[in-house]
Amino acid sequence: MQIKEAPYSKLCSSKNILTVNGQFPGPVLYANTGDTLVVNVQNGGSQNITIHWHGVKQPRYPWSDGPEFITQCPIRPGTNFSQKIKLSDEEGTLWWHAHSEWSRATVNGALVIRPPNKTNYPFPKPAAEVPIILGEWWKSDVEAIVNEFVASGGDANKSDAFLINGQPGDLYPCSKNNTFKLTVEKGKTYLLRMVNAVMNNLMFFAVADHQLTVVGTDAAYVKPFKTNYITISPGQTIDVLLEANQNPNNYYMAARAYNSVNGVEFDNTTTTAIIQYRGNHTLSSSPPILPNLPNANDTNASFNFTRTFKSLADKTHPVNVPLNVTTNLLFTFSVNTLPCANEACGGPNGDRFAASVNNISFVLPRIDILGAYYKNIKGVYGDEFPSFPPFNFNFTGDSLPVELQRPDRRTEVHFLEYGTNVEIVLQGTSLLGGIDHPIHLHGYSFYVVGSGFGNFDKDKDPLKYNLVDPPLQNTIAIVRNGWAAIRFKADNPGVWFMHCHLERHVSWGMEMAFIVKDGKGSQQKLLPPPPDMPKC
């Protein structure tokens, strides 16, 4: 992978962007379940970079996981790092992206993991498989936008367009000629491998006049279900089957942002691509029709879609939900504020925006946590990340006291003993109004056993958990002012990042890290680092 600047023109203007091999989106990587890939990342750009393999568990080998200053120091300009990607039981669609600053805006691509040779999909083999990557575009330089956003303490400028496979589509200026087109044959079925690489928005997606059948998410299969639209979080992947069963013509697929908060500026444009039927047929002279997408603020449409997922849970795809939980954690996710000199910042009341997990706004260290842990370097991180919020309050109440808005800024990790069965209740809060949070855990897939609106009720809500066929995911959206409960077995030693996948929330500190200790057996210990780990 050659990281380099390349010129791109969109929306009637041109700029240089950071790319992989000059491509945007970057190249699709193909593998089979259980493969090990070696990817040599060469940084020919002018800024530090790291690459994360989103959803790959990397058993016992966090050295290639990629989040900057968590598991590695960045790859500096002019240097390279050979990353070993250890696939295990992942099967389906994942993706890779930069994990340093906001570089993932243009440095990303799909990672397609097919079943081992000779075994089949748990659905009829599609006529073709097509990655569909939702992205976005700013006319200005992304690095400049981030620098201004960080300096101002306010919110980031919204993007100018959303993209499907790198193209804005027919509804934007100077875009029509390059709109992505998918040619289909009537009577055949196509597997769309969806990736949401958008920076700060959950997205609604649909195809005009066609139902979609959801068959997988985050490289795990789900019980197939039909739907007229999907909701996909940043970081999430969804596999859908599209049956070409309509009158031969052209049809739009389209995507737009879901935004649950009044008063927050967001890009409310719609990106399109075209499904075109092959063959000798007369196209209607009018433009293709747009699909019906839910309204931009339709929280129920988003939440109801996400909670429909269930694992296959059959003989060949068993479910291993931890039943006797040994470690219970409750993490609150909040948008906060910090005081600003002269009250001159761009946040509420002249403050600076911040964000936190259990009231700790995470500060990235200058030496990576994994290296410090492995070499026993003191003073890089603390080990006091709390198991529960330090203050108990009505997390989703209407008018919360302002003093709850001030988080602590620290670098804290939470240790987990090897082999513990962990349940984390991810609780959103309504501080500053609250918003949805797509939470991603590195190094693990987890079972989503429950979710709901309002405050989690530890007596009533677990009675409604799905412990039979919950979906296995690596990214789950906590609905605005609601909660989700996840379970996993801590059997992958190392340092593993957990964060909101809305990039502005990461910049504000909505993240934390787990350190899973070694087990006793030789196959339960962290492997040593490669010789070419980037230096800090």
Side-chain angles (χ1 to χ4, degrees), residues 215-286:
V215 291
T217 183
D218 290 354
Y221 297 116
V222 299
K223 287 190 171 75
F225 67 93
K226 288 194 177 320
T227 181
N228 294 322
Y229 70 94
I230 71 167
T231 311
I232 185 166
S233 304
Q236 189 181 17
T237 62
I238 298 182
D239 289 340
V240 298
L241 296 174
L242 170 78
E243 260 181 275
N245 56 7
Q246 295 301 307
N247 289 331
N249 207 331
N250 285 351
Y251 296 87
Y252 274 136
M253 58 172 97
R256 73 157 168 237
Y258 156 59
N259 177 61
S260 59
V261 187
N262 290 334
V264 168
E265 279 212 349
F266 71 105
D267 180 343
N268 62 357
T269 59
T270 302
T271 176
T272 58
I274 294 173
I275 304 274
Q276 49 186 26
Y277 279 73
R278 186 180 280 133
N280 300 328
H281 50 81
T282 316
L283 287 176
S284 59
S285 54
S286 51

Side-chain angles (χ1 to χ4, degrees), residues 154-236:
D155 210 342
N157 284 345
K158 65 185 198 309
S159 55
D160 297 296
F162 291 113
L163 312 172
I164 294 176
N165 288 351
Q167 300 300 341
D170 289 2
L171 307 183
Y172 296 90
C174 304
S175 303
K176 202 161 185 156
N177 294 345
N178 298 314
T179 297
F180 174 75
K181 296 182 177 70
L182 169 59
T183 304
V184 300
E185 266 182 66
K186 181 151 185 172
K188 294 195 168 167
T189 298
Y190 297 82
L191 176 59
L192 306 185
R193 296 182 172 277
M194 309 276 316
V195 176
N196 184 354
V198 168
M199 300 296 278
N200 289 304
N201 289 99
L202 287 81
M203 301 293 287
F204 289 129
F205 171 89
V207 179
D209 287 356
H210 290 70
Q211 269 201 316
L212 301 168
T213 304
V214 178
V215 291
T217 183
D218 290 354
Y221 297 116
V222 299
K223 287 190 171 75
F225 67 93
K226 288 194 177 320
T227 181
N228 294 322
Y229 70 94
I230 71 167
T231 311
I232 185 166
S233 304
Q236 189 181 17

Side-chain angles (χ1 to χ4, degrees), residues 316-391:
T316 43
H317 305 91
V319 164
N320 300 306
V321 190
L323 296 177
N324 56 333
V325 171
T326 46
T327 300
N328 277 289
L329 304 172
L330 173 66
F331 288 180
T332 52
F333 293 83
S334 305
V335 177
N336 311 86
T337 54
L338 288 164
C340 175
N342 315 325
E343 296 179 354
C345 285
N349 306 318
D351 280 350
R352 165 179 292 286
F353 272 118
S356 64
V357 186
N358 276 357
N359 211 47
I360 293 179
S361 189
F362 191 86
V363 179
L364 275 182
R366 300 330 289 164
I367 299 175
D368 63 299
I369 293 174
L370 176 60
Y373 169 63
Y374 190 77
K375 295 175 188 155
N376 211 2
I377 301 169
K378 297 283 182 261
V380 176
Y381 59 87
D383 59 2
E384 295 184 354
F385 189 88
S387 301
F388 298 94
F391 312 111

Side-chain angles (χ1 to χ4, degrees), residues 4-80:
K4 59 180 187 184
E5 299 265 331
Y8 271 76
S9 298
K10 293 193 196 307
L11 311 178
C12 322
S13 63
S14 298
K15 65 172 182 172
N16 276 348
I17 61 169
L18 209 54
T19 65
V20 168
N21 304 349
Q23 294 170 244
F24 171 68
V28 182
L29 298 185
Y30 291 91
N32 290 335
T33 308
D35 283 356
T36 295
L37 314 176
V38 177
V39 179
N40 187 11
V41 182
Q42 301 173 333
N43 188 357
S46 58
Q47 60 203 65
N48 289 341
I49 196 102
T50 66
I51 301 290
H52 167 54
W53 310 88
H54 184 113
V56 178
K57 299 183 187 74
Q58 306 278 19
R60 302 168 54 214
Y61 200 75
W63 306 103
S64 286
D65 188 46
E68 181 180 41
F69 296 119
I70 304 295
T71 61
Q72 70 167 88
C73 299
I75 307 165
R76 296 179 186 182
T79 67
N80 64 308

Side-chain angles (χ1 to χ4, degrees), residues 272-522:
T272 58
I274 294 173
I275 304 274
Q276 49 186 26
Y277 279 73
R278 186 180 280 133
N280 300 328
H281 50 81
T282 316
L283 287 176
S284 59
S285 54
S286 51
I289 55 166
L290 281 163
N292 288 323
L293 289 162
N295 290 334
N297 62 353
D298 192 339
T299 295
N300 284 334
S302 172
F303 181 65
N304 290 340
F305 173 81
T306 302
R307 71 182 310 181
T308 308
F309 287 35
K310 290 183 167 68
S311 283
L312 273 184
D314 58 21
K315 280 198 181 77
T316 43
H317 305 91
V319 164
N320 300 306
V321 190
L323 296 177
N324 56 333
V325 171
T326 46
T327 300
N328 277 289
L329 304 172
L330 173 66
F331 288 180
T332 52
F333 293 83
S334 305
V335 177
N336 311 86
T337 54
L338 288 164
C340 175
N342 315 325
E343 296 179 354
C345 285
N349 306 318
D351 280 350
R352 165 179 292 286
F353 272 118
S356 64
V357 186
N358 276 357
N359 211 47
I360 293 179
S361 189
F362 191 86
V363 179
L364 275 182
R366 300 330 289 164
I367 299 175
D368 63 299
I369 293 174
L370 176 60
Y373 169 63
Y374 190 77
K375 295 175 188 155
N376 211 2
I377 301 169
K378 297 283 182 261
V380 176
Y381 59 87
D383 59 2
E384 295 184 354
F385 189 88
S387 301
F388 298 94
F391 312 111
N392 248 332
F393 59 97
N394 177 2
F395 300 124
T396 55
D398 279 347
S399 45
L400 297 176
V402 174
E403 53 268 24
L404 290 172
Q405 284 181 22
R406 299 283 193 237
D408 292 337
R409 295 192 72 243
R410 307 209 304 266
T411 309
E412 299 289 342
V413 305
H414 191 94
F415 275 90
L416 291 171
E417 296 294 330
Y418 185 92
T420 47
N421 289 335
V422 183
E423 175 175 310
I424 313 176
V425 174
L426 311 167
Q427 174 71 59
T429 79
S430 57
L431 288 170
L432 297 180
I435 192 172
D436 305 71
H437 299 294
I439 303 302
H440 171 48
L441 174 61
H442 292 222
Y444 289 87
S445 287
F446 46 74
Y447 289 102
V448 182
V449 295
S451 58
F453 288 100
N455 297 335
F456 175 74
D457 182 325
K458 69 180 190 322
D459 299 318
K460 290 183 185 157
D461 287 325
L463 302 175
K464 298 187 291 241
Y465 280 178
N466 174 7
L467 301 175
V468 176
D469 55 1
L472 187 64
Q473 297 180 234
N474 64 55
T475 305
I476 180 65
I478 315 172
V479 69
R480 180 186 178 199
N481 299 341
W483 59 273
I486 65 172
R487 287 187 182 183
F488 62 95
K489 188 183 192 72
D491 55 5
N492 189 9
V495 174
W496 303 110
F497 202 30
M498 185 181 205
H499 60 96
C500 181
H501 224 281
L502 301 182
E503 218 53 41
R504 65 185 196 275
H505 291 181
V506 178
S507 301
W508 291 337
M510 191 178 285
E511 59 247 34
M512 57 80 65
F514 287 105
I515 295 184
V516 179
K517 295 181 185 174
D518 281 351
K520 293 194 168 58
S522 61

